[in-house]
Amino acid sequence: MTAVQAAVQIDRPTVADGAALWRMAKDSKVLDLNSSYSYLLWCRDFAATSAVARDERGEPMGFVTGYVRPDSPHTLLVWQVAVDEAHRGRGLAAALLDGLVARTVAERAVTTVETTITPGNTASERLFTSFAERHGAPLEREVLFDAGLFPDGPHDPEVLYRIGPLSR
């Protein structure tokens, strides 16, 4: 357990956290912002494969949302990672990711973590590269969705980061 993990509570999100997750995603100015409704549903339907970090008052400070891929039941796809601006720079995103992956490895026998990152998102690139290094797992990268596939205007390609196999 890292010092950050010891100092904050990392657990599953609840529906009551949905508004805070939506706000953090919006304030990040980097994440694709989904509707507030989708964050409420995510906290209800995918809480087991997501994590929230709480301060001493129980208020959300950061989150990771993810799901186990239906066609690849040992793969956790990390959808979004965000940390409230007031809590950035303390390793909270890494603690959240480590905590979520440890839980899903134990509960669902996850062996691989995937995420997509747009080129130039250096914070996410560093987060997932350092995760692979900390866990001694190989990291592969390939374009998953080319820019031309997005129907709603200009969008950078989404590069798939595949990390695994993870050791138990």
Side-chain angles (χ1 to χ4, degrees), residues 23-168:
R23 182 190 51 76
M24 282 184 264
K26 180 179 179 232
D27 291 349
S28 77
K29 297 183 177 46
V30 190
L31 296 176
D32 288 337
L33 184 63
N34 300 294
S35 71
S36 58
Y37 174 69
S38 70
Y39 290 90
L40 295 171
L41 280 176
W42 202 281
C43 289
R44 185 191 78 162
D45 294 342
F46 297 103
T49 53
S50 298
V52 65
R54 299 180 191 287
D55 65 16
E56 61 280 350
R57 296 179 323 276
E59 297 299 318
M61 304 183 316
F63 72 88
V64 176
T65 54
Y67 62 88
V68 172
R69 289 190 47 212
D71 293 340
S72 184
H74 298 292
T75 300
L76 174 69
L77 186 287
V78 174
W79 180 261
Q80 289 188 321
V81 179
V83 174
D84 186 84
E85 187 173 13
H87 300 285
R88 291 182 191 151
R90 299 181 8 206
L92 193 54
L96 275 160
L97 184 57
D98 286 346
L100 174 60
V101 172
R103 179 171 16 109
T104 57
V105 165
E107 293 177 358
R108 296 173 181 256
V110 162
T111 60
T112 305
V113 173
E114 291 182 346
T115 194
T116 63
I117 302 173
T118 56
N121 183 342
T122 55
S124 289
E125 290 168 349
R126 277 191 228 134
L127 175 65
F128 285 93
T129 300
S130 67
F131 173 86
E133 291 170 358
R134 275 194 314 281
H135 294 275
L139 168 62
E140 299 171 4
R141 296 173 189 88
E142 65 182 90
V143 173
L144 181 63
F145 300 123
D146 189 77
L149 291 174
F150 294 91
D152 57 347
H155 194 293
D156 289 331
E158 290 286 345
V159 177
L160 177 68
Y161 280 54
R162 182 178 297 113
I163 302 167
L166 301 170
S167 55
R168 290 187 135 244

